Amino acid sequence: MKRLLPVPLLLLLSLAQGNQPLQPGECEVCIGFLERFYKYLKAQDVDLTLGMVVNELMLMCEHTKGKEHRLCYYVGATSDAATKIVNEIARPMSAHVPVLKICEKLKRKDMQICELKYDLGLHSPILKLCPEEVIFPARPQH
C-alpha cells in the first residue's frame, strides 16, 4: 500500500506545475501579439464571435514576420501549419478572457509558443504590427 501513495502525489504535483502563472518575460511574443490583436478587434466595434476572431486572426497572420509569424505557425493560423489550435485563441478571446490567461493555456498545449522572444537587434529597428500601428522597440543598452 505504501508504494501507491507516491504516484498520486506525483500526479498532483505535475498538475499543479501545469497551472502556474507565467513568469515575467515569459511568452512575450504571445502576449505582445495577442494584446495588439485584441486591441485591433476592439477598435472594430463589433461583437466578437468565434468565427470573426478566427477569420481576423488568419488575416492578421498573413502579414506577420519573424517571431510573430512563427507564433501564427504554431497555433495553426498560417496556410502551411501542420496543426490548428486557433480556437484555443478565438474562443476565449471572443469571451474577453485576458490575453495572459490565453497564453498560459497555449503554453500548456505547446511549450514552444512561450519560448519565442522578440529579436531587438540593430537589424530590426521597426516591428510592423498591424496596418494602423508601428512600434519602435527600445535599442539595447551597451
Side-chain angles (χ1 to χ4, degrees), residues 41-108:
L41 292 175
K42 292 294 287 176
Q44 302 299 315
D45 198 30
V46 294
D47 288 334
L48 298 182
T49 64
L50 180 65
M52 182 269 219
V53 174
V54 169
N55 289 338
E56 291 294 325
L57 180 61
M58 300 295 274
L59 288 172
M60 181 80 71
C61 283
E62 287 179 10
H63 303 287
T64 58
K65 294 185 186 228
K67 303 296 177 158
E68 290 182 347
H69 185 75
R70 179 61 49 188
L71 172 69
C72 289
Y73 174 79
Y74 287 158
V75 299
T78 61
S79 60
D80 61 341
T83 62
K84 189 166 184 169
I85 58 171
V86 291
N87 285 340
E88 298 294 329
I89 294 171
R91 186 169 288 113
M93 192 165 281
S94 66
H96 304 280
V97 171
V99 166
L100 191 63
K101 294 294 181 188
I102 296 172
C103 290
E104 285 176 359
K105 188 172 182 180
L106 289 173
K107 179 184 176 186
R108 288 192 297 270

Side-chain angles (χ1 to χ4, degrees), residues 36 39-40 43-44 60 128-135:
R36 285 188 311 280
K39 286 178 187 174
Y40 167 77
Q44 302 299 315
M60 181 80 71
K128 184 147 177 66
L129 305 174
C130 62
E132 301 82 26
E133 184 177 35
V134 176
I135 298 291

